[in-house]
Amino acid sequence: MTAAIEVRAVEKRFGNVGIIRDLNLSVAQGERHAIIGPNGAGKSTTFNLISGHIKPTSGEVRLNGDVISGLRPFEINRRGLSRSFQVTNVFARMSVWENVRCAVLWATGHRYAFWKNVDSLSEVRERTAQILDDIHLTHRRDVPAGLLTYAEQRELEIGITIAGGATVVMLDEPTAGMSHAETERAVSLIRRLTEGKTLVIVEHDMSVVFGLADRISVLVYGHIIASGTPEEIRRDPKVKEAYLGEEAH
Amino acid sequence: MNAKMTSTPTSKIVDTTVGDGLRFYGIWLAGIAVLIVLPLIFSSGGSLTSFSLIGIAIVFALSYNILLGQTGLLSFGHAVHYGLGGFAACHMMNAVVSHGWPIPLPFIPLFGGLGGLAFALVIGWVMTKRAGTVFSMISLGIAELVASSSLILRSVFGGESGISTDRTSLPKILGLSFGPQLQVYYLIAFWLVISAIAMYALTRTPLGRISNAVRDNPERVQFIGYDPHVVRYIAFCFAGFFAGVAGGLAAINFEIANAAYLGAIQSGLVLFSTFIGGVAFFFGPILGAILVTYLQLGLTSVTGVWQLYFGIIFIGIVMLSPGGIAGLIMMHRPLVRAGTLPTVIPSYLLAAVPTLALACGVILTIESIARTHSGQGSPINLFGVAFSPASPVTWASAAILVAGGFFVARLSWRRVGEAWDRATTIARDRGYLA
């Protein structure tokens, strides 16, 4: 079976500075894959490279076997890859309902239509209502997204990401800045909403990573030093040295 | 329990849609009724001309808001489409007359629209590649380019004198000659209704919704499958079309199209109208177009420095109410729903007195200076009281009104703020405010 995401020898340089060097990563279909690493290791850059936000200097990225490196973000999204952002990135002046509905429109085939009444598209309406229900924001549907609480915005961010029905979902630090209770809620939300999908997640909270991921890759200075099951990663001496430190606890 | 939980919000949604739907159609029908009745109440030639100009300005401002309010594109050259629409309409009218085509006058604005659209189709792809400052600067450049070409390409634009036409020579429809201003007014009103409905409907389509998303966050739009460039381009073409319709209506109204149609002043005026009215609501530009056209017609006859007042109003709105008039009105909606509006009205009335005094002081100051310097020295007529611009009494009253008005206005507006806080707290408690 072809891998959902296959990153081969990808390099990203900004001028003379190599941010990502010889990056190789393989995520199998249906796998929950976590990318961890110290600050500045290039985790968000890796996300940006895969999702088309920035183009690799060299190397290639494949989605379900097709080369996607060099394509633009919306072209990659249309092929079934969707991502969230570390810094909340919603449509601030639009209501929660509108936010999710916009994310549903392309996938339901309405594209740039200017001859259809958006309110009368029953499939769009049902799917939007379903997603609002899933992310527990139905009671906030008419509130402008910019007025939501931080945790609610993070949930909306996830909702927008999964709304298009992408089969590969990439979440960039979905629980960053959340309290313990909010994190638990978010994790169960993610677990439920990505059922049967491929998930790539960047996360700092190790309890989230080890609780959620089937496989983990450790990124240090733009290079993956280890990739394996949580158990393998925990035992890997290179990881201990480079990332987990001197067994502080 | 679970089924009940999920069914409750749905039924509530249906209820509000039906209620809102009735009110929605009510507003539109009321608007159409006003357009029909207006010339029957105010039937003088002057008011008919004013209403016609206001109608054209509304179509133009609504088309501008497709760019500014809906898609977040600040254009400094929207009059290009208006002007080209006007020229297209004039050429079409002349062609219809000389070739004897069976096209009556009411169809001419459509050709104006096609003129505006054609230019948008050609130039739009490059222009909408980027939003923000880049788009604004390119729009300014294109506007200058077209405005200067209009004086060079004499066969198309008629040079200084423009292209004139005769609307009454076109084939008659329903026995209407469109000679009398009343018939032209109804023609404009008809196209105003059609265009307003079409532009409103556009906001309710997938494209319209995504335009809003592009306005708010073009980066994120790319990650839900949309190319923001394409969205901006299509929105730009629609804006160009309806600006062209407005230009076509103007060509019919004045029976001429000239370089002034597509110049910077016209572009500035539509930006001004739309912004003062309020870009965040569909009806905002309508209010703005009415007010600005009315002021333009009214102020020019009472003062020589009417542009100065435009500037002051514009700065005032931008600084004090960035949402425009529509924003000010809609701010009160939660209070109306919560029933706390009456608690703020007294503070408004109280604040209105010193604010009015301040405004009178400013007007006296401006007019004294302007009239003394222009050497006319004609008396300033303020609410029936005549002030001599050269008299120290006038200067003293101006100074007292400005200083005293400002001081008391500050105090009284603070009380408005307090009343507002109380009213919104109650509205929030009652769940009418997020």
Side-chain angles (χ1 to χ4, degrees):
Chain A
M1 203 154 117
T2 44
I5 294 178
E6 183 84 55
V7 179
R8 281 190 205 147
V10 161
E11 216 174 50
K12 181 66 196 178
R13 309 184 71 86
F14 292 108
N16 275 331
V17 190
I19 302 293
I20 298 290
R21 14 175 224 126
D22 193 27
L23 185 79
N24 290 284
L25 176 70
S26 181
V27 181
Q29 302 280 356
E31 181 176 291
R32 290 205 180 96
H33 197 110
I35 299 175
I36 62 172
N39 284 326
K43 301 185 295 292
S44 287
T45 308
T46 303
F47 258 47
N48 289 341
L49 284 166
I50 296 172
S51 63
H53 202 31
I54 55 175
K55 291 181 173 48
T57 312
S58 64
E60 69 175 24
V61 181
R62 286 172 183 267
L63 176 67
N64 300 323
D66 302 324
V67 178
I68 56 164
S69 40
L71 293 184
R72 295 198 283 168
F74 52 89
E75 293 170 315
I76 293 172
N77 180 268
R78 290 170 197 172
R79 288 169 185 240
L81 182 145
S82 186
R83 67 163 291 185
S84 74
F85 289 79
Q86 191 182 336
V87 178
T88 304
N89 206 349
V90 296
F91 306 109
R93 284 157 66 189
M94 297 165 70
S95 70
V96 170
W97 172 266
E98 296 272 12
N99 266 268
V100 173
R101 183 166 64 181
C102 279
V104 165
L105 284 173
W106 187 277
T108 43
H110 299 293
R111 304 181 172 218
Y112 302 107
F114 49 79
W115 53 88
K116 302 173 184 171
N117 181 349
V118 75
D119 296 318
S120 62
L121 305 170
S122 54
E123 191 194 351
V124 171
R125 199 170 51 228
E126 281 156 21
R127 211 153 141 177
T128 308
Q130 179 62 49
I131 285 169
L132 281 191
D133 200 37
D134 286 342
I135 58 174
H136 312 298
L137 286 179
T138 306
H139 64 295
R140 303 282 269 165
R141 51 167 279 157
D142 296 323
V143 179
L147 296 182
L148 293 178
T149 66
Y150 177 74
E152 285 172 335
Q153 286 189 357
R154 298 303 299 170
E155 282 166 348
L156 178 59
E157 176 82 36
I158 294 172
I160 293 173
T161 308
I162 55 134
T167 53
V168 179
V169 175
M170 301 177 70
L171 303 178
D172 195 351
E173 296 198 29
T175 69
M178 284 188 178
S179 71
H180 186 69
E182 287 166 345
T183 301
E184 271 186 10
R185 216 170 107 105
V187 169
S188 74
L189 182 72
I190 293 166
R191 196 188 292 278
R192 189 158 47 82
L193 294 182
T194 57
E195 197 70 52
K197 298 175 186 230
T198 308
L199 173 69
V200 184
I201 185 169
V202 166
E203 188 53 65
H204 273 299
D205 188 328
M206 284 308 133
S207 64
V208 172
V209 171
F210 284 94
L212 194 64
D214 303 322
R215 284 176 71 83
I216 298 172
S217 290
V218 184
L219 189 68
V220 178
Y221 294 126
H223 188 75
I224 287 184
I225 59 164
S227 215
T229 63
E231 207 40 49
E232 287 166 357
I233 293 299
R234 209 172 264 149
R235 271 179 296 175
D236 193 308
K238 274 189 295 181
V239 177
K240 280 184 184 167
E241 187 194 327
Y243 184 68
L244 297 174
E246 296 290 315
E247 293 264 69
H249 36 259
Chain B
M1 183 66 197
N2 206 351
K4 201 180 170 190
M5 288 286 277
T6 46
S7 73
T8 317
T10 331
S11 56
K12 199 176 164 191
I13 291 161
V14 171
D15 283 343
T16 51
T17 341
V18 171
D20 285 353
L22 283 176
R23 196 177 333 149
F24 169 79
Y25 288 113
I27 290 169
W28 281 93
L29 290 175
I32 294 170
V34 167
L35 285 175
I36 294 172
V37 172
L38 215 46
L40 307 178
I41 301 169
F42 305 96
S43 54
S44 75
S47 18
L48 276 184
T49 311
S50 304
F51 295 151
S52 303
L53 294 181
I54 289 173
I56 295 167
I58 292 174
V59 176
F60 191 27
L62 283 175
S63 80
Y64 188 71
N65 208 35
I66 295 176
L67 296 179
L68 184 60
Q70 308 290 344
T71 321
L73 294 169
L74 174 63
S75 169
F76 291 126
H78 197 50
V80 164
H81 307 282
Y82 175 83
L84 291 176
F87 280 103
C90 276
H91 283 296
M92 192 62 200
M93 280 150 82
N94 290 340
V96 165
V97 173
S98 62
H99 292 86
W101 290 334
I103 301 173
L105 191 71
F107 292 95
I108 291 299
L110 184 64
F111 295 95
L114 293 176
L117 172 66
F119 191 69
L121 281 169
V122 172
I123 207 75
W125 187 251
V126 181
M127 278 187 75
T128 54
K129 202 161 178 68
R130 284 172 184 276
T133 316
V134 177
F135 173 83
S136 299
M137 289 302 118
I138 298 177
S139 74
L140 194 62
I142 298 280
E144 282 307 302
L145 199 81
V146 175
S148 55
S149 313
S150 71
L151 294 173
I152 300 164
L153 303 170
R154 302 187 65 87
S155 59
V156 184
F157 297 103
E160 298 271 347
S161 55
I163 300 283
S164 51
T165 183
D166 178 8
R167 66 180 179 231
T168 57
S169 312
L170 273 78
K172 286 197 171 41
I173 183 169
L174 305 169
L176 297 170
S177 69
F178 291 103
Q181 188 63 34
L182 184 66
Q183 293 181 10
V184 174
Y185 164 79
Y186 278 119
L187 174 63
I188 291 170
F190 170 76
W191 273 94
L192 166 60
V193 171
I194 297 284
S195 309
I197 290 173
M199 282 187 267
Y200 181 78
L202 184 65
T203 67
R204 307 305 315 164
T205 63
L207 178 82
R209 304 289 83 206
I210 287 294
S211 297
N212 286 179
V214 167
R215 171 199 68 198
D216 278 12
N217 194 341
E219 184 199 50
R220 190 64 160 105
V221 165
Q222 301 197 35
F223 294 93
I224 55 172
Y226 282 89
D227 183 352
H229 184 193
V230 173
V231 176
R232 283 193 290 262
Y233 178 60
I234 304 176
F236 185 78
C237 289
F238 273 105
F241 176 79
F242 286 107
V245 169
L249 291 172
I252 290 172
N253 188 57
F254 297 113
E255 298 187 293
I256 192 169
N258 57 36
Y261 274 44
L262 34 74
I265 292 174
Q266 197 72 23
S267 290
L269 218 50
V270 72
L271 162 61
F272 187 71
S273 308
T274 310
F275 201 92
I276 283 189
V279 298
F281 299 97
F282 183 78
F283 68 93
I286 299 179
L287 300 182
I290 294 171
L291 180 75
V292 168
T293 312
Y294 186 76
L295 280 180
Q296 204 187 359
L297 296 172
L299 280 180
T300 42
S301 61
V302 292
T303 172
V305 288
W306 57 274
Q307 292 103 326
L308 196 68
Y309 292 104
F310 266 32
I312 292 174
I313 294 170
F314 192 61
I315 293 169
I317 296 266
V318 170
M319 287 180 61
L320 302 175
S321 170
I325 301 166
L328 276 181
I329 294 172
M330 296 307 273
M331 254 170 71
H332 292 85
R333 200 156 69 158
L335 300 196
V336 173
R337 287 185 178 168
T340 52
L341 186 65
T343 64
V344 294
I345 300 267
S347 66
Y348 277 167
L349 295 175
L350 213 63
V353 178
T355 310
L356 208 64
L358 173 63
C360 287
V362 171
I363 292 170
L364 269 186
T365 311
I366 292 173
E367 291 300 321
S368 299
I369 296 170
R371 294 188 190 197
T372 316
H373 277 259
S374 68
Q376 321 169 330
S378 55
I380 306 155
N381 186 346
L382 203 64
F383 300 113
V385 184
F387 291 89
S388 162
S391 149
V393 178
T394 306
W395 304 340
S397 11
I400 292 168
L401 284 170
V402 169
F406 180 75
F407 184 69
V408 184
R410 270 193 69 151
L411 290 179
S412 57
W413 279 103
R414 202 168 292 154
R415 295 196 47 175
V416 172
E418 287 160 8
W420 250 96
D421 284 344
R422 283 193 297 273
T424 46
T425 309
I426 297 169
R428 200 168 285 126
D429 290 346
R430 292 180 187 167
Y432 293 101
L433 204 63

